[in-house]
Amino acid sequence: GVMEKRYYKKNKNRGYMQLRIWQDSIEYYKSTCLIFRKFPNDLRRIVTQQIASVDSVHRNIAEGYCRKSIREYLQFLNYAISSLGESVSGIHTYRNSNQLSVDEFEKFDSIAYKIENGLLKLIEKLEEKREYGNWNDSLMVKESNEYYGM
């Protein structure tokens, strides 16, 4: 995983760090920063927007999880999927404009596709559970990872 286990062992509010979907979102952010830093200075605004949309994905997963309510978790997972959609629109545009290579585009597209499908599946399963499900940290981590495991 992205974080060492010792960071979240002692703090129940950090269960989101065990979520594979959160860890993949961090990888997506790291890749985005590496590749978009190479863009020319006159495209600084585009770079900033792309990085911000990708950065928002992991932040919303974490914030929703920390709300400790399935209803609010769902709300923030929907924000995460919206930010992801914004970033995917960006990579398609920059590929079409020859600002991203085929390899760069494929790298972004494959991880975004995995996260997007994982979020959709997780949202669907949590919506089924929303009416009667109670929040339980260890169960929520386990189930979220199961739903994400495609």
Side-chain angles (χ1 to χ4, degrees):
V2 172
M3 298 289 169
E4 293 178 44
K5 283 191 188 276
R6 65 186 159 95
Y7 286 120
Y8 52 74
K9 269 186 180 167
K10 295 176 185 158
N11 186 334
K12 284 186 177 174
N13 208 41
R14 295 193 180 184
Y16 64 86
M17 291 182 174
Q18 299 173 64
L19 300 176
R20 287 195 300 268
I21 201 164
W22 180 81
Q23 294 167 6
D24 284 349
S25 298
I26 299 282
E27 289 303 313
Y28 187 38
Y29 173 80
K30 282 166 55 179
S31 300
T32 299
C33 287
L34 279 172
I35 291 174
F36 276 80
R37 277 190 190 133
K38 299 179 205 167
F39 274 50
N41 205 31
D42 60 327
L43 296 175
R44 189 171 50 242
R45 198 175 126 269
I46 284 170
V47 170
T48 303
Q49 283 181 302
Q50 186 68 14
I51 291 172
S53 67
V54 171
D55 189 41
S56 185
V57 179
H58 71 87
R59 290 174 176 278
N60 278 300
I61 292 167
E63 184 170 354
Y65 187 92
C66 290
R67 296 293 180 112
K68 301 284 191 243
S69 132
I70 292 173
R71 185 184 60 76
E72 288 184 280
Y73 189 25
L74 278 163
Q75 183 181 349
F76 281 88
L77 290 175
N78 278 301
Y79 296 153
I81 210 164
S82 299
S83 296
L84 189 63
E86 181 185 348
S87 77
V88 169
S89 177
I91 63 168
H92 279 271
T93 301
Y94 310 137
R95 177 62 212 126
N96 268 323
S97 305
N98 291 317
Q99 293 166 314
L100 286 177
S101 71
V102 173
D103 285 350
E104 290 166 338
F105 172 80
E106 289 299 331
K107 181 176 185 170
F108 287 136
D109 196 46
S110 63
I111 192 163
Y113 185 81
K114 181 182 180 192
I115 296 167
E116 189 174 27
N117 281 343
L119 279 167
L120 288 169
K121 191 173 174 187
L122 179 54
I123 288 166
E124 181 187 332
K125 294 294 184 181
L126 288 170
E127 280 174 345
E128 292 170 11
K129 187 181 174 133
R130 177 176 40 197
E131 303 312 316
Y132 60 87
N134 293 320
W135 192 272
N136 170 319
D137 251 26
S138 58
L139 190 63
M140 195 54 66
V141 168
K142 181 179 176 287
E143 289 182 350
S144 294
N145 283 338
E146 282 171 8
Y147 301 151
Y148 184 57
M150 300 171 328

